[in-house]
Structures are given as structure tokens and as C-alpha cells.
Amino acid sequence: MVAPQHLLTDDHMRQFITNGFLILNVTMPQGFHECIYQRCEAIYESEGNPGNNILPRIPDLQQVFDHPTVIGAFSSILGPDYVMHVHRHGHRTPAQGKGGGWHKDSYWGYKKIRHHHPRWAMAFYYPQVVSEENGATRVVPGSHCYAARFDNLDEQSVPVTGDAGVIAIVHFDIWHRAAPNLTDCNRYMMKFQFHRMSEPIVPTWNTHDTAWQPTDPKRDVVWKEHWNWAMGRHTNSGAGNISSLVSQLSATAEPDRLNAAYTLGAIGELAVGPLIDTLKLDHEDARLAATYGLATCGKPAVEALIQMLNHDNEQVRAHAAFALGDMGAQAEHAVPALAKTLKDGSPFVRHHSAEALGTVAKTPDIAVPALALALKDDDGQVRYNAAYSLSRFGSKAAYAVPALAMALQDENRYTSGHAVTALRRIRTPEAVDTLLHWLEVTRWCPFTSKDSTF
């Protein structure tokens, strides 16, 4: 358990919710970051980029993520039971390198409806001084809730700079890029991902002021809902002209669409019908906005969304599954219907149903067997999401241990990786024995290389 003094404050959390990132300074023993930098230099020169194996190749990196400052930040944002994702990557911008293009990180091979709520976050760690001259990562404040590219991204962006060891903690969906490196030294950034294992029921940071402090009239409606969500509270006490708001769901500007969606969601039951009607339209942007609105409605929208799981349009079915999952435990009544959609003919629907069952994380006697069966799905991303969702059930997913043991051999690295996470969290004797045997077989030796084989 992290000590309270290492948790974030209300101001930190407001900054993360509005900007989508925080910059932390991590104090390590003298020479620690330089040692990491030199190890990167040697490994990239002789072996190339180790990709997902950057951590076993440089195990000292784990000390960074075990630092109380880092644990406190992620515990505040993602809850104290957060876990490290199996994907990690070392980025090198070479001396005099051109940098990279603007992007949001992908979901490894398929299009996914993105979460606005902070369920996933990343750490960008820099083992050397990082400046605008040597290729600082640039992030666009406030861009994490918007799918469309902002105009003039370069002008709106800010650089992540600081001394060796600086860490940026960012919302998974923020727009970012590596700037050009104008120096004669390589610049390294280690990207690690982390995700939430349980939905918030109380604030998990040092909070003294539970009210949202208005910041920007154009976006406060979205940010206030995220603040309340992180607080573990949900109310339908909004107001507005429903007809006018529904028309805004098809607006050209994405901020207008989202403001309308979240305002309708806060209204609750009276807005469900119009939002469902919009969900069924052949208008991708309006459908997505309605999806976020329905998720914000919570329980009043559950029954209508269950009906949409049987719609003839796979996009409607997938968006309905996402909205139910985004509600968390409020969608408990939908678990049987979501479990049935794991047999839907559309992989896109099954992706989101598998994920939703883990986010709702209720009725394990129905959800866990369905997810265990989904570990054999023909689609790799369905299997990956099924393993990820089983990890959120913890010990209640014990039924799935034999299926997870088989999933350790899956050709999809993320299915296998999340099976490891699930077994660790289930933690029954059978799960532990299965996991220890797998780790003994697959252990990576950080000292072995082509120049030192034994």
C-alpha cells in the first residue's frame, strides 16, 4: 500500500483530467539514469530495439515503476490495484533524427472505441536530460477525449522536458509525437502502459475538495463527469433542451457533439430514447457521441442497450456493448446478454463484448465461463480481450484457470501476456502453480546475448 504522502492531490487530478498528462520527477541514486542510458546505447547498437523485451533486457527499469512517486500517481489515477500492461517499448530518436508524426497509440491490430474515462495510462520515462533540442516528446493538452486531429497540433502542443529520470504520465488516447533530435546524442524514451483493474467507488487520491472547479465552459461538461466518475459517484441531475441537444449530436465540431452527449447523459432517463434513436442512425460521428451519452446515463439506459445488442447493424451492436461496459457495475443486469454476444458473427462486436464483461465485472458465474470459452475464439483480439477481462475478476475467475493455462501458449502475445496477469490475480494454488511453471520455462535471462551465451 502506497503511503498517503505519495498520492496525487485534487489539483493534480484536475490537471490530469483536463490536460491528459502529468510530469513527475523521480529521484533515484546517483548514476542510476546514466546507467540505464548506457545500457540502452549498448543494446540498441548490438541487438536493435528489444521491443516488448525491454524490461527483462534492462530489469533495473522496474525500479523506476516501483518508486513511491510513480506508484502513488498511478494508484491515484487508476486505483491501487492497477497492473502493468504486457506491451512496453523503448523509443530511440537517433542523433540528428527527424522525430515522428502525430498519433494516438493503437490497440494492436484493430479499430476500437476509445475510453474517455482513465482506465488506461502510459508512462514516458527518459533516462537522460530531455529538452526541445534533443527530441522531447510533444503532447497536446486536452486532446485525449477527441478522436479528430486538432488544428495546428504543433502550435497547441507542449514538450515533455526535464532532468534525467523525468516521467510523463499520460492518458492512453492523447495525441503525441517525438520531436526532431537536433543534437549529436541519441535520445531514449521508455514507454510503459498500465491499466485499471476495478472501477472507482471512492476517490483514490488525497482529496479535500470533492466539487469540480470549472475551468473551460466549452469542455467542463465532459471533465466534470470524468471527475465524478473518478470519485465513484453517479447522478442523473442534468438539465437542458433535449431536442436541441440531440441535434448537436450530429454537429460538425467534435467538442459540440461530446458536450451534447454528456449533457444528455446527465439528464438520464428522459434522454435515453433520443440517444438510442441517434445510435441507430447511419451517421458514424453521431453514433459515437450517442454511445458516450448512453454510457453516461447509466442504469436508465441498460434495458434499451440490451435490446440494441440484437440490432441488425454490427456497428450498433458493438457500440451498445461498449456503452454497457463503460457503465461498469451499473450494467450488471446486462451480463447475460453480453455473454451471449460473445457468439456474435462480427469480431468487432465480440471485441467489445469481451471487454465490457470485464469492465462490468459482475455475475462471474455467467461472465467467467463465457470469457473462458472466448479464449478459443478464432479472432486474436477477442482472445486478448477475454484474457484481459478475466484478470479483472481476480479470484472469482478461478473456473477459467485451465483455459488460461492453455492461453499461455497462444500465438497472440497479448493473449498470452494477459493470461499471465489473470493467473497472478486469481492466485488460487492451481493458478499459482500454473503460472510458476510457465515462468520457469519462459524466463528471460538479461545477461545472455550473442556475445555471452553462457
Side-chain angles (χ1 to χ4, degrees):
M1 182 67 70
V2 62
Q5 66 266 26
H6 297 299
L7 296 174
L8 299 181
T9 65
D10 288 331
D11 286 343
H12 288 135
M13 285 299 295
R14 290 190 184 99
Q15 180 181 337
F16 186 83
I17 287 171
T18 57
N19 290 336
F21 70 96
L22 291 170
I23 296 178
L24 306 176
N25 293 304
V26 178
T27 302
M28 299 294 285
Q30 186 174 2
F32 176 88
H33 302 299
E34 174 64 19
C35 182
I36 296 291
Y37 182 87
Q38 293 302 330
R39 287 286 292 146
C40 289
E41 288 277 79
I43 290 170
Y44 275 68
E45 180 64 27
S46 62
E47 305 170 21
N49 192 328
N52 276 347
N53 287 324
I54 187 68
L55 184 57
R57 200 66 189 88
I58 310 178
D60 284 349
L61 281 169
Q62 186 60 45
Q63 295 183 46
V64 174
F65 304 110
D66 288 341
H67 193 283
T69 298
V70 178
I71 293 175
F74 279 113
S75 295
S76 299
I77 295 168
L78 300 177
D81 58 348
Y82 74 91
V83 299
M84 181 185 284
H85 194 281
V86 296
H87 174 69
R88 63 289 303 257
H89 198 77
H91 292 265
R92 178 175 72 169
T93 303
Q96 302 299 324
K98 295 181 179 180
W102 287 106
H103 66 284
K104 289 177 180 247
D105 276 25
S106 71
Y107 289 87
W108 310 290
Y110 69 104
K111 183 179 179 182
K112 181 189 177 302
I113 304 169
R114 293 178 181 263
H115 286 285
H116 290 166
H117 295 130
R119 292 191 174 94
W120 290 38
M122 298 188 286
F124 297 163
Y125 161 72
Y126 304 84
Q128 75 287 296
V129 172
V130 60
S131 66
E132 295 196 62
E133 287 72 33
N134 70 348
T137 304
R138 300 192 69 90
V139 297
V140 182
S143 65
H144 50 297
C145 292
Y146 299 98
R149 289 172 62 105
F150 284 17
D151 293 331
N152 304 316
L153 283 172
D154 286 314
E155 288 78 2
Q156 295 193 50
S157 66
V158 297
V160 176
T161 60
D163 295 333
V166 68
I167 289 183
I169 296 183
V170 305
H171 191 291
F172 183 83
D173 293 317
I174 202 165
W175 284 93
H176 61 283
R177 70 176 290 244
N181 183 355
L182 307 179
T183 72
D184 294 326
C185 297
N186 296 322
R187 185 231 64 171
Y188 292 93
M189 182 269 274
M190 308 291 121
K191 181 188 71 179
F192 283 71
Q193 298 178 3
F194 300 83
H195 50 97
R196 175 179 285 277
M197 283 286 101
S198 56
E199 297 296 278
I201 55 176
V202 295
T204 54
W205 63 94
N206 286 322
T207 184
H208 300 287
D209 181 3
T210 62
W212 176 251
Q213 302 299 323
T215 303
D216 181 345
K218 294 182 178 180
R219 291 187 278 185
D220 267 328
V221 64
V222 176
W223 293 337
K224 180 180 179 181
E225 194 280 332
H226 293 172
W227 171 264
N228 286 333
W229 177 86
M231 283 276 178
R233 61 193 183 195
H234 180 270
T235 59
N236 290 128
S237 58
N241 184 307
I242 292 178
S243 177
S244 176
L245 290 165
V246 169
S247 69
Q248 285 297 299
L249 295 174
S250 302
T252 301
E254 188 175 13
D256 293 340
R257 298 196 299 271
L258 290 186
N259 285 345
Y262 277 85
T263 302
L264 286 163
I267 291 173
E269 186 173 2
L270 293 175
V272 171
L275 284 167
I276 289 290
D277 289 341
T278 305
L279 182 73
K280 293 185 288 186
L281 294 177
D282 188 19
H283 189 307
E284 184 176 351
D285 290 339
R287 179 188 297 124
L288 181 59
T291 300
Y292 291 122
L294 287 161
T296 304
C297 282
K299 282 185 179 180
V302 170
E303 192 58 46
L305 285 167
I306 290 174
Q307 295 178 25
M308 290 302 99
L309 293 176
N310 295 312
H311 197 274
D312 58 3
N313 185 323
E314 69 170 331
Q315 291 294 324
V316 174
R317 300 196 301 276
H319 282 70
F322 173 88
L324 288 165
D326 202 31
M327 293 180 192
Q330 294 183 88
E332 180 177 5
H333 180 62
V335 168
L338 286 168
K340 288 181 181 179
T341 60
L342 288 178
K343 297 181 180 179
D344 192 286
S346 165
F348 188 63
V349 174
R350 301 198 305 275
H351 294 167
H352 291 90
S353 296
E355 181 187 56
L357 285 169
T359 311
V360 175
K362 292 290 184 180
T363 321
D365 57 318
I366 295 175
V368 169
L371 289 167
L373 186 61
L375 290 172
K376 299 179 181 179
D377 196 280
D378 291 339
D379 186 273
Q381 277 71 36
V382 175
R383 301 195 302 273
Y384 157 84
N385 273 355
Y388 167 70
S389 285
L390 285 166
S391 69
R392 291 179 59 110
F393 279 90
S395 61
K396 295 178 181 178
Y399 170 90
V401 169
L404 288 165
M406 294 182 63
L408 291 172
Q409 308 290 339
D410 198 287
E411 63 184 12
N412 182 303
R413 70 186 74 185
Y414 300 117
T415 302
S416 175
H418 275 299
V420 170
T421 302
L423 289 165
R424 177 168 66 87
R425 286 181 51 79
I426 291 170
R427 227 176 253 281
T428 62
E430 182 186 7
V432 171
D433 287 346
T434 299
L435 181 56
L436 288 176
H437 176 67
W438 169 252
L439 293 177
E440 287 173 348
V441 171
T442 60
R443 177 184 177 270
W444 181 287
C445 175
F447 306 107
T448 300
S449 68
K450 65 180 181 180
D451 299 319
S452 177
T453 58
F454 60 88

